[in-house]
Every structure is written in C-alpha cells, then in structure tokens.
C-alpha cells in the first residue's frame, strides 16, 4: 500500500474520529434521542467517501478502526460502547462492499450505509447479551411486554416498535450511502486526483 | 450492576451465582478496557500495530493523531470561507453539499502533502520492519492478571470446580 493511500486512510479516520469526539460528546450531553443513528450516518458517509479514494480491500474497516482508536483516547473519556459500535459499523459496511465485489455502484453504497446504521439498533442489545448473558435479554423483552400492557397497548407493540425503529435506521443509512456516492462523484469531478 | 442486583433479588435458584457471573463478565471488560484507555498511549497502540504486522494501520493511526488539530482548523476555515462567499444564502442543502465537497477536497489535498512528506522520509511503501514498543512493566503484568482473573473464575465455574 502506498504512502498516499495510508495518509488518506488516516485522515478520513481522523475526520470520523473528530465527528465522534466533538458532535458525539455534544449530543450525549444534550441527551438527544437516536444520536447513535445520526453519528453512524455521518461516520459511515465519511468512511465510504474515504474508502472510494483508496482502492484496496479493508480500506473502510481501517478507517473505522482508526476512528475507534481515536474515540478510545478521546478527551471526552473512553466509551466502550462507542468504540465497539464504530468498529462494528465499519466491519459491516466493509462486508457489504465485499458482498458486492467492491464494485463502485450506488446500490452497494446504499446497502453498506443501511447495514452499518442498522447496527445501531442491535448494538445495545448485543452488549447486554455479551455482558449479561441470555437471562438479561429475556428480562428486557419481558419488561417491554409489561410496559406495553401497562400502557394498554397490544402484545405485538414491542415488536412493531422494533420494526419501525429498524426501518427508520435503514432509511437514514440508505440516505448516508446515497449521499456518500453523490459526494464521491462531485469530488472526483472537481479535483484531479492521482490515485497511484 | 443493576441487572445483576435484579437477577439476585429475583429469588430464582442459582440467581446469586448468575448475578456473580454477570458482575465478573462486566468487571473483566471494564478493567481491560479502562486500563487500555488509561495507561496505553495512542503512540504505543500505533507501535503495537506495526509490531504485529499491521504497519499500514500503525502509520494511518499516527497520521490521524498528528492531523487532528489541522483537520479541526481546516473544517473551521472551510466553513468561514463558504460563509464569506455567501454559500449560507444558498439554502441548507446546497450549503451542506458545498461544505462537504470543499472539506473532502481539502482532506485529499492534505493527504497528498502528508504522503510527499512520508516519501521524503523513506516511507514510500509499507513493507516489513517493526516499530519498537515499550517493554511490559510489573504493573502491566499485574493488570493483565487482574483482568483475566474473572475469566479464569468463570471458566472454573463452567467446568464445575465450584
């Protein structure tokens, strides 16, 4: 891998890291709902654009790992959940690009963005599952059903809510992938790049 | 911790053991992660990556760390330049697109400058070689044992030792 490509990976990783450290900390302090989705969408857009200018396998994952490492040592303090989420989002997006054979198409970018942002829905549950075991996951599900009963909602309400939140994240992720593809085309049109 | 307390207070058979296992799992992750964030430096992480064969990742992390301030300045300068040129009057969507394209272009230009500097220092192609990392101290070894103790306890419990 050439020095130019490594420099691009580092700088795009730094940009994702800055977004996580500055905007992420601000959103966390303000208790903004669905902040993880917003951060994932911005981060994956940056990573997809960066990976497009490094025609190597694993470029997107490297950008994500650099951002995760920066988040680990960020001034706002280490956040194990954020670090793991960034790494997983990058891994899923990379897997998605690999599934499309690393062909640069709008469909592959939309799929990668949607998959990465959808992870935000499952991340807290998987964390609880790893730390707490299956018992905690079952407890959470029972608590959701009890909450639905207390609010006089049908028994399918928790599942319906989960599906709605998933669709919302898929839409945001698809928009991120779409935006990334558009930005890549515009940057390529405006700047003469030496991709050697 | 709250989940562990709820589990222990549920009164089920073996609830205390389950709660203990939960605390041990959480403790192991927290100690390992906290120690990494507290005592390891980004430079050491970069050196470790280079040492285990991930030279590209080590160098990329080093570049990222050294470029944080410059990137912050670039993003701010780009925004002020767009404002001065009246881009904010063009609507939020167009303004956002102009900002993103200008910032991404600036990052790519900076990457080229960093690459030229790296080549002039002999880092043209990333291949073999290893970066020196600090040797492990007694405190590092003690911390490693502390982080793995809950794992050993969980394994022994799984094997039926207690």
């Amino acid at each position: 891998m050439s020095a130019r490509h490594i420099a691009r990976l580092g700088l795009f990783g730094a940009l994702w890291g800055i977004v996580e450290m500055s905007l992420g900390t601000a959103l966390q302090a303000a208790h903004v709902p669905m902040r993880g989705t917003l951060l994932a969408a911005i981060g994956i857009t940056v990573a997809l654009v960066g990976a497009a200018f490094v025609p190597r396998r694993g470029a997107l994952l490297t950008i994500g790992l650099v951002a995760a490492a920066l988040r680990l040592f960020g001034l706002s303090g280490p956040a194990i959940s954020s670090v793991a989420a960034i790494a997983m989002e990058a891994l899923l997006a990379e897997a998605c690009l690999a599934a499309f054979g690393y062909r640069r198409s709008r469909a592959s970018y939309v799929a990668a963005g949607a998959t990465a942002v959808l992870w935000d829905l499952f991340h807290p549950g998987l964390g609880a599952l790893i730390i707490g075991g299956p018992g905690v996951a079952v407890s959470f599900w029972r608590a959701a059903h009890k909450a639905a009963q207390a609010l006089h909602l049908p028994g399918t309400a928790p599942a319906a809510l989960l599906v709605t939140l998933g669709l919302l994240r898929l839409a945001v992720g698809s928009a991120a992938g779409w935006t990334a593809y558009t930005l890549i085309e515009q940057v390529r049109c405006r700047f003469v790049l030496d991709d050697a | 911790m709250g989940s562990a307390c709820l589990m222990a207070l549920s009164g089920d058979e073996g609830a205390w053991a389950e709660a203990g296992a939960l605390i041990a799992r959480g403790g192991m992750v927290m100690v390992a992660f906290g120690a990494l964030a507290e005592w390891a430096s980004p430079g050491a992480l970069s050196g470790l990556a280079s040492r285990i064969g991930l030279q590209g990742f080590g160098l990329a992390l080093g570049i990222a760390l050294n470029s944080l301030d410059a990137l912050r300045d670039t993003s701010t300068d780009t925004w002020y330049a767009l404002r001065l040129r009246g881009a904010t009057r063009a609507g939020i969507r167009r303004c956002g697109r102009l900002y993103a394209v200008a910032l991404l272009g600036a990052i790519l230009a900076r990457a080229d400058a960093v690459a030229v500097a790296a080549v002039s220092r002999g880092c043209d192609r990333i291949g073999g070689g290893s970066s020196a990392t600090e040797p492990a101290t007694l405190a590092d070894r003690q911390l490693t044992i502390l982080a793995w103790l809950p794992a050993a306890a969980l394994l022994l419990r799984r094997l039926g030792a207690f």
Side-chain angles (χ1 to χ4, degrees):
Chain A
M1 192 181 283
S2 70
R4 174 177 283 117
H5 289 152
I6 289 171
R8 284 177 184 173
L9 292 177
L11 285 167
F12 279 98
L15 187 60
W16 188 354
I18 286 174
V19 169
E20 287 283 341
M21 283 189 285
S22 54
L23 187 64
T25 308
L27 292 176
Q28 199 170 5
H31 295 287
V32 174
M34 288 182 69
R35 54 186 175 271
T37 307
L38 183 65
L39 287 170
I42 297 172
I44 211 66
T45 305
V46 169
L48 282 169
V49 173
F53 293 103
V54 182
R56 295 280 187 279
R57 288 179 182 194
L60 203 151
L61 182 61
T62 309
I63 290 172
L65 291 178
V66 169
L70 291 179
R71 184 69 184 85
L72 177 66
F73 299 108
L75 287 175
S76 54
I80 185 167
S81 183
S82 302
V83 173
I86 294 168
M88 275 306 294
E89 284 155 14
L91 183 66
L92 287 172
E94 179 75 42
C96 217
L97 289 185
F100 277 86
Y102 290 101
R103 281 192 306 276
R104 202 158 56 81
S105 66
R106 200 177 282 276
S108 66
Y109 276 66
V110 166
T115 312
V117 176
L118 185 63
W119 173 252
D120 178 54
L121 183 66
F122 301 107
H123 184 71
L126 194 79
L129 199 69
I130 290 168
I131 301 287
V136 170
V138 172
S139 301
F140 276 131
W141 190 247
R142 280 183 190 154
H145 273 283
K146 280 187 179 173
Q149 281 174 356
L151 293 167
H152 303 293
L153 293 170
T156 53
L161 184 67
L162 208 62
V163 170
T164 309
L165 289 173
L167 289 174
L168 192 65
R169 280 165 174 84
L170 277 176
V172 173
S174 303
W178 186 281
T179 308
Y181 190 82
T182 309
L183 284 174
I184 291 161
E185 295 301 311
Q186 287 177 354
V187 171
R188 278 194 196 279
C189 287
R190 284 206 180 192
F191 301 95
V192 180
L193 295 166
D194 180 9
D195 278 338
Chain B
M1 187 63 82
S3 303
C5 291
L6 281 175
M7 206 175 267
L9 293 172
S10 67
D12 294 342
E13 197 179 334
W16 282 99
E18 275 299 316
L22 199 153
I23 291 171
R25 274 197 291 263
M28 187 171 66
V29 173
M30 295 309 286
V31 167
F33 187 81
L36 178 67
E38 187 71 25
W39 285 303
S41 67
L45 194 67
S46 174
L48 179 71
S50 301
R51 198 175 178 183
I52 61 173
L54 301 170
Q55 283 89 358
F57 177 71
L59 187 56
L61 184 57
I63 289 169
L65 285 164
N66 289 310
S67 306
L68 284 176
D69 286 337
L71 274 182
R72 277 202 188 102
D73 291 345
T74 305
S75 58
T76 316
D77 292 347
T78 307
W79 174 245
Y80 285 139
L82 279 173
R83 267 182 65 180
L84 285 171
R85 294 179 71 182
T88 47
R89 289 194 294 271
I92 190 164
R93 204 173 154 199
R94 185 169 155 72
C95 180
R97 187 168 55 79
L98 286 170
Y99 176 71
V101 172
L103 182 63
L104 293 171
I107 287 174
L108 287 168
R110 183 167 176 81
D112 283 354
V114 169
V116 169
V119 169
S120 69
R121 285 166 175 79
C123 303
D124 189 13
R125 293 267 158 187
I126 306 304
S130 63
S131 294
T133 50
E134 291 174 28
T137 61
L138 182 65
D140 293 334
R141 293 194 181 97
Q142 287 169 346
L143 195 68
T144 308
I145 293 167
L146 185 68
W148 282 100
L149 264 180
L154 285 171
L155 188 69
L156 286 172
R157 184 173 163 268
R158 184 63 58 91
L159 293 171
F162 57 89

